[in-house]
Structures are given as structure tokens and as C-alpha cells.
Amino acid sequence: QVQLVESGGGSVQAGGSLRLSCAVSGFTVSSYLMGWFRQGPGKEREGVAIIDRDGMTRYSDSVKGRFTISKDNAKNTLYLQMNSLKPEDTAMYYCAVGYALNLSPAYFGSWGQGTQVTVSS
């Protein structure tokens, strides 16, 4: 059974950092393309960062240079290191598994339940 469980969200002040984790069961992260997405209040879900099985990454312009996606194959876990956080980063963050190196959520599925990130100014 495929299961993705996000954790690590919280409330921070602008300029702070958080590291999100996505614990995976039912498949190995080393074999699949995975990504982080977010959905702010009243907004559509958007792609934040994706990583393929070879380690190639892609980031949205809004987080490039501030966020880093990575995975630990031994722990079967996906991570998102978020630095220099801004109030506009406030959203529910989700991880998912996909089939195309594309930031569109349409290419991803098996969504986790999400973890809330709130950044105050």
C-alpha cells in the first residue's frame, strides 16, 4: 500500500527555516520521481520542487535559491529544506509521486495529507 506522510511544518518568522519530511512506504523513493507542492488559502495547488530518480531537480521561480529538495534512499524519505522563508510561502505543503519532470500537479498522485507552514512578517 502506497503511503506518503508529511511532517516538519510549523510557524516561523520571515527569514527563518524549516525542513519538511515525507516518509514513504509502499515503494522506494530511489526509483521514482517525487515532488513537493503547496496550496495557499484561496489558491490553486502549485509545484514547488521536484526530483527525479537520477537526482535531477527543478524548482519554481518563487523558491529557487531558497529551497532545496533531496531524498534519503536509506530512510526512504523525501525532504524539502526551506530557508529565507517569506510570508507568501505560507501554505499547506504536500509531497507526491509523479511521472514527468514537470511542476504541474497534474503529473503527480498518491498525495500525502499535507503539513502546514505559516510564515509571519
Side-chain angles (χ1 to χ4, degrees), residues 1-5 22-27 110-112:
Q1 182 180 359
V2 173
Q3 189 173 21
L4 287 74
V5 179
C22 173
V24 173
S25 57
F27 67 95
S110 299
W111 299 91

Side-chain angles (χ1 to χ4, degrees), residues 2-9 18-30 32-37 49 51 68-82 93-98 108-115:
V2 173
Q3 189 173 21
L4 287 74
V5 179
E6 301 94 336
S7 62
L18 285 172
R19 189 177 78 156
L20 306 184
S21 299
C22 173
V24 173
S25 57
F27 67 95
T28 55
V29 298
S30 60
Y32 289 87
L33 183 151
M34 297 197 68
W36 285 99
F37 299 80
I51 183 168
T68 303
I69 188 172
S70 64
K71 53 186 177 179
D72 185 326
N73 295 335
K75 295 183 178 180
N76 214 35
T77 299
L78 180 73
Y79 298 103
L80 184 69
Q81 178 66 43
M82 306 186 297
Y93 283 72
Y94 302 87
C95 60
V97 58
F108 289 79
S110 299
W111 299 91
Q113 84 290 344
T115 186

Side-chain angles (χ1 to χ4, degrees), residues 45-57:
R45 191 168 297 187
E46 63 174 352
V48 174
I50 53 179
I51 183 168
D52 72 5
R53 58 184 181 180
D54 296 322
M56 184 176 295
T57 59

